[in-house]
Amino acid sequence: MFIIGELINGMYANIGKAIKEKDKSVIQKCALSQIQAGADALDVNCGPASKEPVSDIKWLVEAIQEVTDKPLALDSSKPKVIEAGLKAAKNKTIINSTTADPEKMEIILPLAKSYKAKLIGLTISAKGIPQNKDQRLELAAMIVATCMDKEFPIEDLYLDPIVMPVNVAQAQMRDILESIREFKIISDPSPKAIIGLSNVSQGTCTRSLINRTFLTMAIAYGLDAAILDPLDKDLMDAGISTELILNKHIYCDSYLDAYRRK
Ligand code: THG
């Protein structure tokens, strides 16, 4: 499982404040603690309150790069913000994200290609978030077809079914899980599947439990990557144990320690 740490997001009060006050040490500590906990990459999102997201993302990328070479997932709906992040980044990047809209893909795909970035494609269109599996798969197929047409490597494409909070969309959880499985058979080579995990538990009072239950299920349905809170140790342990049971790691009595030391 490829883990993208979600905590460098201006939506969190401490990060929003650090961005505003240009306090590098808060960001750098947050980066290092997520990596220490097992993150393979870091999501970078200026948050809804940022008034200057183009300069803020540049500042964030530069601050993070002073302490780590891990890949950065540049998280913005604005192509100009993503481009500023790509320009500032010295290491691997993941564009988070494009939608299935042709106009959006027209702008994002050339950026992904010229910066050799991986790409997250959200199954969302101008009509909004899909309400069932068929709508998700239709948008996923559109994204895959456009990538093929524009010669973007499908192995570098991560499809995201858009996880909704279980307390407002309980009837959609099964569709989301089945979408993950079916994304993988859209084409050969296959696109990968990713989710923003914490969305599932927003507004609930048992967040950690719901997060790790959903992660376990999503991995069983073929999930390749997740944006999540790597500081949640029970969550990380659930992910490692699920992969063990699916025969993705060799077993020993101390497999959790052994996995972390890798
Ligand atoms: N898919 C993709 N990218 C994404 C998402 C996705 N990026 C953003 C988001 N969803 C994933 N990241 C988070 C980060 C935080 C939370 C949820 C998802 C979260 N935050 C607390 C809340 O809203 O309750 C904030 C707590 C606080 O303010 O301290 O839940 O789906 N591709």
Side-chain angles (χ1 to χ4, degrees):
M1 246 320 251
F2 189 74
I3 305 285
I4 305 178
E6 73 181 8
L7 297 176
I8 302 181
N9 188 320
M11 140 200 324
Y12 290 104
N14 64 328
I15 301 294
K17 184 163 174 275
I19 295 173
K20 213 165 152 201
E21 295 171 357
K22 298 290 173 287
D23 182 352
K24 273 203 294 198
S25 68
V26 171
I27 305 298
Q28 292 171 338
K29 270 190 206 134
C30 184
L32 289 174
S33 64
Q34 292 185 85
I35 292 163
Q36 174 70 30
D40 302 299
L42 301 172
D43 198 60
V44 184
N45 186 320
C46 303
S50 166
K51 292 197 184 69
E52 304 282 350
V54 168
S55 56
D56 285 347
I57 199 159
K58 177 170 184 282
W59 177 79
L60 280 170
V61 167
E62 287 170 356
I64 299 164
Q65 281 177 169
E66 284 179 18
V67 296
T68 177
D69 293 339
K70 291 279 185 199
L72 302 180
L74 306 165
D75 188 352
S76 173
S77 57
K78 300 189 180 78
K80 285 265 173 290
V81 177
I82 286 173
E83 190 171 10
L86 289 168
K87 270 193 191 136
K90 288 190 289 211
N91 302 305
K92 288 186 188 164
T93 48
I94 303 151
I95 293 179
N96 186 13
S97 49
T98 182
T99 63
D101 271 329
E103 298 80 24
K104 183 82 178 244
M105 294 200 79
E106 190 89 30
I107 304 168
I108 296 290
L109 275 177
L111 279 178
K113 281 179 70 172
S114 67
Y115 286 91
K116 297 196 179 353
K118 296 187 193 300
L119 176 63
I120 298 175
L122 305 179
T123 55
I124 187 170
S125 70
K127 286 190 232 149
I129 297 176
Q131 298 300 313
N132 59 43
K133 184 182 79 176
D134 286 349
Q135 290 170 3
R136 286 183 164 84
L137 287 170
E138 191 181 320
L139 293 170
M142 271 173 63
I143 296 171
V144 170
T146 310
C147 286
M148 284 178 165
D149 192 43
K150 302 278 195 263
E151 296 181 333
F152 179 81
I154 300 301
E155 304 90 299
D156 290 345
L157 174 66
Y158 289 78
L159 291 171
D160 183 333
I162 314 271
V163 172
M164 305 289 295
V166 64
N167 67 354
V168 299
Q170 197 173 348
Q172 281 200 51
M173 295 298 122
R174 188 184 288 272
D175 281 57
I176 293 169
L177 291 166
E178 286 175 357
S179 298
I180 291 170
R181 182 168 58 206
E182 293 185 31
F183 283 167
K184 317 291 286 295
I185 51 175
I186 289 177
S187 69
D188 183 14
S190 155
K192 296 184 170 64
I194 189 168
I195 56 171
L197 179 69
S198 304
N199 305 3
V200 75
S201 63
Q202 271 174 331
T204 69
C205 56
T206 50
R207 291 203 69 168
S208 178
L209 176 62
I210 288 180
N211 286 342
R212 65 181 180 270
T213 304
F214 195 70
L215 180 68
T216 297
M217 297 181 78
I219 295 173
Y221 276 82
L223 190 72
D224 299 286
I227 304 166
L228 53 71
D229 175 4
L231 304 189
D232 182 342
K233 191 166 173 295
D234 289 340
L235 174 65
M236 296 296 278
D237 286 354
I240 297 165
S241 305
T242 306
E243 294 203 310
L244 172 86
I245 288 165
L246 293 173
N247 198 25
K248 295 193 182 172
H249 309 296
I250 290 172
Y251 177 77
C252 65
D253 279 341
S254 54
Y255 71 94
L256 286 171
D257 289 336
Y259 185 86
R260 285 198 197 90
R261 276 197 299 271
K262 269 201 324 176

